[in-house]
Amino acid sequence: MTPDPFAYRPPPGSRDGETVIPKKDEKRLNRQAQLVWNFMSDGQWHTLAEISRATGAPEASVSARLRDFRKVRFDYHQVLRRRRTDGTHEYWLILRVG
C-alpha cells in the first residue's frame, strides 16, 4: 500500500542548527517542511529554485528541509540529487514505505 503523501506531518520538536531557536522557529520550519513535502510529492525532479518559487521558502531553507526528510527522526525518506546539463542540481523525493 502506497502512503498518502499529503498525510505527512512534520514531527514536532526542534530542528537542527546553531541558529535555530525552537520557540521562535518551530512553527515556521514545520510549515516550510509541509510546503516542500507537498510540492515534492509529485514524483518529479525539481531544482531548489523551482521548489523555492512554489513554496515561498528561501533556497537555503528548502535545502535544509530536504536534508531533514533524509533523517531517521523525519522518517528516513530518500531524496535523490542529480546534476542538470546547465550545472544546477535537481532533487526527487522518494517516500519510504512502511
Side-chain angles (χ1 to χ4, degrees):
M1 183 165 134
T2 303
D4 176 4
F6 294 102
Y8 175 81
R9 295 292 175 259
S14 65
R15 307 242 170 211
D16 299 326
E18 294 177 19
T19 61
V20 172
I21 302 170
K23 193 171 188 175
K24 291 184 176 185
D25 297 326
E26 181 177 337
K27 186 175 181 177
R28 176 180 57 83
L29 296 179
N30 282 337
R31 178 75 177 136
Q32 279 181 356
Q34 189 67 57
L35 291 170
V36 171
W37 179 272
N38 290 349
F39 182 73
M40 291 299 294
S41 294
D42 69 354
Q44 302 294 314
W45 289 93
H46 298 286
T47 65
L48 293 178
E50 291 166 352
I51 302 165
S52 176
R53 278 193 302 274
T55 63
E59 287 185 37
S61 295
V62 168
S63 180
R65 301 299 70 82
L66 291 174
R67 286 192 304 274
D68 284 346
F69 296 148
R70 292 178 174 137
K71 295 176 182 177
V72 172
R73 69 185 172 130
F74 295 106
D75 295 329
Y76 199 62
H77 301 281
Q78 283 188 287
V79 180
L80 303 181
R81 182 181 75 171
R82 72 181 182 189
R83 182 180 291 266
R84 284 190 176 171
T85 56
D86 64 0
T88 59
H89 287 92
E90 55 186 4
Y91 300 85
W92 182 30
L93 173 66
I94 300 175
L95 305 176
R96 183 182 68 81
V97 178

